[in-house]
Amino acid sequence: MDNTRFTEARTGDLVKIITPDGPDWAFVPAALPPKWDFPAHLWPLLAHAREELVRLNEMGRTMTNPTLLMTPLQRREALRSSSLEGTYATPQELILYEMNPREPVSPSDPANDWREVYNYDRALKYGCRKLVDTTTDGLPLSCRLIRGMHRELLGDVRGNPKEAGEFRKRQVHVGSDRRYMPPPPESLDKCLSDFERFLHDRGDKFDPLVLSYIVHYQFEAIHPFLDGNGRIGRALLSLTIQQWSKLALPWLYMSAYFERYKEEYIDNLFRVSTHGDWDRWIEFCLRGTAEQCRDAIRRCDRLNAIRNRMRGQLGHLPRMNPIIDCLFFSTAFRVSDVMAWGHSSRPTAKADIEKLMKQGFVAHLKGQRPRTYFAPAIFAAAYSEELSATATEESVHPSDTIAST
């Protein structure tokens, strides 16, 4: 790692380490809270981001069954967060894999990628479930929760399990050119102890939304695992925003924005370490918050309208309302699924599917055996990038405004 890139304003210490390739430097971030004051020029942006977040949360509160719309949003987050790390799957591939998970037959089998994306969705849902669980199985925001999410993420993936659920005991680096070397293993215990202490005692110096992005930086700077740090960090970000901003559900997912502006995302995280540039990082994130809130609202409005239209046209028929709702949880389905949803026989389930097809609500998914169906409108509302493009047109590219400050 090039230690000359780190200025006197850096947010931690440079330490000498020995690697198999010889001497090098690593960076140990200082414990939170940062020695930084939220700048006055960002107050209007923070107010706008919070207004959009309130709008998103209130939209969820007005829905009869908001969890129906949460499932497609979480699947999309799994796709975008995994894509940031170079793991690619289409929405169709992910949904079909969920219906019929299988073991990869070779290292080049695309099922390897599908499994990793599927596992991200599992890790995110694990974190959500543990945080709301009021029994003895529930967990607060903590290192234990993070390890559990990591176990879900790396379970049954290709090759070495890479110590799933365990903090690393070896040095790692970020970037093929070793652009960033996180803390050496002997520094991890203290870094993580300080990190967990801050999760439990955050103080009131910063707005909860700003705190979530401060914590996201800290997690990525510590880089506690051998693999999966980016994905776990972004899943944790959604959970901290929900908890600390008091959202009814984890509505906000930032990976699509981070992927759209990937270079800025990476550079801004790095500049916090090298230059203590919290202003730039937080501004970038607040702009993304407003953009992703608008995107989520558009998607949820469209999904809700689709559900209302389906119920308006077919809800008077027996069994159709629960079948319609299940379409939002399982965008692709088979006759056996409809039999279970409607508690019906195979002939009745086939007749129900025909009713949905006649209205244009479902269609055949070509090339699948046994015969598989999907809901095109739900699929488009959840995964189409056209809605994101609309949100982007209404926003200012983050680097434009950052460069002008």
Side-chain angles (χ1 to χ4, degrees), residues 139-362:
L139 291 170
L141 287 166
S142 60
C143 287
R144 185 179 172 195
L145 176 72
I146 293 167
R147 289 199 309 271
M149 293 169 65
H150 193 257
R151 279 193 296 272
E152 295 292 321
L153 178 71
L154 292 188
D156 302 321
V157 298
R158 73 186 103 189
N160 191 316
K162 298 181 181 177
E163 300 178 12
E166 299 297 327
F167 295 129
R168 60 181 169 86
K169 298 177 177 62
R170 303 195 299 277
Q171 183 66 49
V172 295
H173 62 269
V174 178
S176 58
D177 60 350
R178 300 194 178 192
R179 183 188 194 196
Y180 179 73
M181 298 282 277
E186 58 268 23
S187 299
L188 268 186
D189 282 350
K190 185 177 188 312
C191 286
L192 289 167
S193 176
D194 291 340
F195 180 75
E196 186 170 58
R197 189 178 302 112
F198 186 77
L199 291 179
H200 297 159
D201 186 14
R202 304 177 302 279
D204 56 5
K205 180 180 178 181
F206 298 106
D207 179 271
L209 185 58
V210 174
L211 271 175
S212 296
Y213 294 118
I214 290 173
V215 164
H216 181 63
Y217 158 78
Q218 191 76 0
F219 181 85
E220 298 303 333
I222 295 171
H223 232 66
F225 298 110
L226 289 178
D227 188 31
N229 293 283
R231 287 168 289 174
I232 292 298
R234 289 184 290 275
L236 181 63
L237 174 61
S238 295
L239 299 182
T240 58
I241 290 174
Q242 180 205 1
Q243 289 280 300
W244 298 342
S245 294
K246 301 186 185 308
L247 305 184
L249 289 169
W251 287 110
L252 183 64
Y253 300 100
M254 292 294 293
S255 290
Y257 176 79
F258 291 156
E259 184 184 27
R260 194 173 305 122
Y261 303 117
K262 183 176 180 178
E263 289 187 9
E264 288 94 332
Y265 173 57
I266 295 170
D267 288 345
N268 290 337
L269 281 170
F270 190 55
R271 279 185 62 86
V272 176
S273 298
T274 59
H275 291 73
D277 198 349
W278 288 104
D279 288 21
R280 188 184 184 101
W281 166 242
I282 296 301
E283 179 174 357
F284 173 78
C285 292
L286 293 179
R287 292 192 180 281
T289 298
E291 184 171 313
Q292 289 308 113
C293 284
R294 290 193 296 269
D295 181 81
I297 289 169
R298 284 189 184 87
R299 293 182 191 280
C300 288
D301 281 346
R302 186 169 295 187
L303 288 165
N304 206 33
I306 293 166
R307 179 172 180 261
N308 290 339
R309 187 163 65 251
M310 287 180 171
R311 280 175 164 254
Q313 295 186 31
L314 294 174
H316 64 285
L317 299 172
R319 299 176 309 280
M320 293 309 295
N321 281 335
I323 291 173
I324 288 168
D325 284 352
C326 286
L327 294 177
F328 290 81
F329 289 114
S330 302
T331 314
F333 61 94
R334 293 169 180 146
V335 172
S336 58
D337 297 310
V338 178
M339 290 171 62
W341 298 343
H343 304 288
S344 62
S345 65
R346 179 170 288 272
T348 300
K350 287 184 175 180
D352 290 337
I353 292 173
E354 287 299 320
K355 293 183 179 76
L356 288 163
M357 293 184 69
K358 186 176 181 180
Q359 296 294 332
F361 295 140
V362 304

Side-chain angles (χ1 to χ4, degrees), residues 12-69:
D13 296 324
L14 290 166
V15 296
K16 292 181 178 180
I17 59 172
I18 300 297
T19 73
D21 298 320
D24 209 327
W25 293 89
F27 181 75
V28 180
L32 297 177
K35 295 177 181 177
W36 171 72
D37 294 317
F38 188 82
H41 75 270
L42 290 184
W43 276 112
L45 188 57
L46 174 59
H48 178 56
R50 291 212 61 83
E51 286 171 5
E52 295 293 340
L53 194 59
V54 168
R55 281 184 61 218
L56 177 59
N57 193 48
E58 288 304 312
M59 176 212 63
R61 290 183 184 277
T62 62
M63 293 178 181
T64 305
N65 191 349
T67 57
L68 290 181
L69 310 187

